[in-house]
Amino acid sequence: GVGFTAEDRASLLATIDTSADRLDRVVGNLLDMSRIQSGATNAILTATAAEDVVAAALSSIAAPSSRILVDVSEEVPLVLTDGALLERALANLVSNALAWSPLDQPVRIEAATVAGDVQLRVVDRGSGIPRGDRQRMFQPFQRLGDSPSHGAGVGLGLAVARGFTRAMGGDLAVDDTPGGGT
């Protein structure tokens, strides 16, 4: 019996859509973490183009194009990886970087060959991560500097990203960004 204006309905529907997407990500991360912890993550490695994984990851999180810069060299060879697991890991890393970066500073996604290995980097201009917290940040349910302004996650994204990366035989490392950030 409540009468809503068209604008009110549109606003409520947008809120419902955003909340449903968030719930889907939380449930997905919970299921992924349980698979990782039980050893039920089976990586199926195939030759995969880095630019395809980047595009799929960005599509899955609906990242605003104004906040993302992609620099994937054409010379990056195909990567022997599980494309679906790498996509999920990358989406979690980018979501985290977006949450911690200033709105006027885009997050960069870079891919390049370094010493024979393909490195995929997510670079932000946030406040950085103290060295003493860098291992703890990959533990399930950890939210460093917990603050409502840094997203509404439950602290599983980075743990899932590391678990999937290791399941594929890769490594996930944290470095400082020159000038600030991670």
Side-chain angles (χ1 to χ4, degrees):
V2 177
F4 291 106
T5 67
E7 294 83 24
D8 288 341
R9 276 194 302 276
S11 176
L12 288 170
L13 288 173
T15 300
I16 290 168
D17 186 49
T18 300
S19 296
D21 289 345
R22 179 184 176 274
L23 180 60
D24 182 57
R25 283 190 303 274
V26 169
V27 170
N29 277 334
L30 284 167
L31 293 172
D32 290 340
M33 196 72 244
S34 69
R35 286 176 39 212
I36 290 166
Q37 289 180 331
S38 70
T41 304
N42 297 317
I44 301 171
L45 306 180
T46 60
T48 306
E51 61 267 17
D52 293 344
V53 172
V54 170
L58 293 178
S59 174
S60 75
I61 61 171
S65 59
S66 63
R67 300 236 16 239
I68 304 284
L69 294 175
V70 178
D71 181 13
V72 178
S73 170
E74 293 178 9
E75 297 178 12
V76 173
L78 295 177
V79 181
L80 189 61
T81 189
D82 184 308
L85 295 182
L86 184 56
E87 173 194 328
R88 291 280 305 192
L90 182 60
N92 283 348
L93 292 171
V94 171
S95 293
N96 191 71
L98 287 168
W100 287 93
S101 290
L103 292 175
D104 64 341
Q105 294 291 319
V107 169
R108 291 183 53 87
I109 301 171
E110 305 170 346
T113 305
V114 178
D117 291 329
V118 174
Q119 290 187 358
L120 188 58
R121 293 180 215 98
V122 177
V123 182
D124 71 49
R125 293 291 181 179
S127 58
I129 301 166
R131 290 199 184 276
D133 290 333
R134 291 186 179 177
Q135 289 308 309
R136 186 170 63 89
M137 67 188 257
F138 292 109
Q139 298 302 313
F141 303 107
Q142 294 298 307
R143 288 182 43 131
L144 303 180
D146 212 355
S147 166
S149 66
H150 291 110
V154 296
L156 286 174
L158 295 178
V160 168
R162 177 169 266 180
F164 281 173
T165 302
R166 287 181 171 170
M168 294 179 287
D171 187 32
L172 186 58
V174 181
D175 286 321
D176 293 325
T177 299
T182 304

